[in-house]
Amino acid sequence: MADKEIKNLQAVNTSVFAYIGDAVYETFVRKYVFHKGILRPDRLNSASISYVRAEAQAMAYDKLLPELAADEASVARRAKNHKITSMPKNVDPMVYKKATAFEALLGYLELKGDPSRVEEIIFKAFEIIEDPSSECKIIIPKETSTALFLKFTENYQDLLVGVNIGGVGTLIASLASLITFREYAKHN
């Protein structure tokens, strides 16, 4: 692209880059987990979660930042420092800012018209996220792990106690508690 167009891109709000980058990254992730041979939609979604979580994207941002070109690093830093107007309740603000910066970087590269660099950054992020030594572990939702444990135990009372301790402590506090209680009631 011409220098004039690149200068115009530098003036674009980083929230716009993040908006585009989110869509680009989500599409790559969905194709990536599909090509791993997962064919059921619910399992595709579960497999995608470990890549699209804010913690995973923030970790990729931290590890990729030193490798970025000057213009890429500038956009990423601007996005990280951009004021957040809304944020999920369960995510640390700095983690969320870094995840947004990662998405903004991808959006910038997409709008710049550099698909090979977009792909390079995304596949490096996948390597970082999949690295067994990385701090970003795959988190299984409590409901999923409860359903998994139900297949391997007949001690429903202890499982119910464990699920409730891990939650708020009341039966109606979570879907995991209700699932476990249903099995407990069915077998006792």
Side-chain angles (χ1 to χ4, degrees):
M1 297 194 115
D3 285 345
K4 182 178 179 184
E5 292 171 331
I6 292 172
K7 286 179 185 172
N8 287 340
L9 277 182
Q10 289 292 340
V12 171
N13 186 315
T14 56
S15 296
V16 173
F17 289 146
Y19 174 77
I20 299 296
D22 176 59
V24 169
Y25 187 62
E26 182 73 31
T27 301
F28 264 86
V29 167
R30 288 177 182 208
K31 288 179 183 177
Y32 184 71
V33 297
F34 171 79
H35 287 295
K36 286 184 165 193
I38 302 169
L39 301 177
R40 287 185 38 194
D42 59 326
R43 291 194 179 148
L44 282 166
N45 187 53
S46 294
S48 298
I49 290 171
S50 62
Y51 297 96
V52 298
R53 288 180 46 238
E55 294 83 359
Q57 292 179 358
M59 185 177 59
Y61 168 86
D62 283 337
K63 295 200 176 184
L64 290 169
L65 187 61
E67 301 174 21
L68 299 179
D71 63 321
E72 297 168 348
S74 172
V75 167
R77 281 193 206 95
R78 258 189 336 145
K80 186 181 87 129
N81 295 328
H82 187 80
K83 183 179 180 189
I84 298 173
T85 55
S86 66
M87 187 182 77
K89 293 178 184 176
N90 61 344
V91 178
D92 176 82
M94 186 50 70
V95 167
Y96 187 74
K97 283 180 163 230
K98 289 178 180 181
T100 301
F102 174 75
E103 291 175 345
L105 169 64
L106 296 176
Y108 167 72
L109 292 170
E110 179 71 18
L111 293 173
K112 184 179 171 183
D114 195 347
S116 62
R117 184 65 173 149
V118 169
E119 190 172 303
E120 179 184 358
I121 294 287
I122 289 175
F123 284 112
K124 282 183 179 182
F126 289 170
E127 288 176 14
I128 291 165
I129 293 165
E130 292 173 350
D131 181 356
S133 67
S134 76
E135 316 85 57
C136 192
K137 304 299 180 213
I138 296 173
I139 294 178
I140 301 172
K142 191 165 56 166
E143 295 78 17
T144 306
S145 58
T146 299
L148 181 66
F149 282 125
L150 285 171
K151 294 178 182 178
F152 298 102
T153 187
E154 291 181 11
N155 193 345
Y156 303 106
Q157 183 175 357
D158 286 346
L159 185 57
L160 182 59
V161 169
V163 168
N164 283 325
I165 290 172
V168 179
T170 63
L171 184 59
I172 61 169
S174 74
L175 181 58
S177 295
L178 292 172
I179 291 168
T180 308
F181 181 74
R182 182 193 68 202
E183 291 301 311
Y184 171 76
K186 192 188 308 182
H187 294 93
N188 289 325

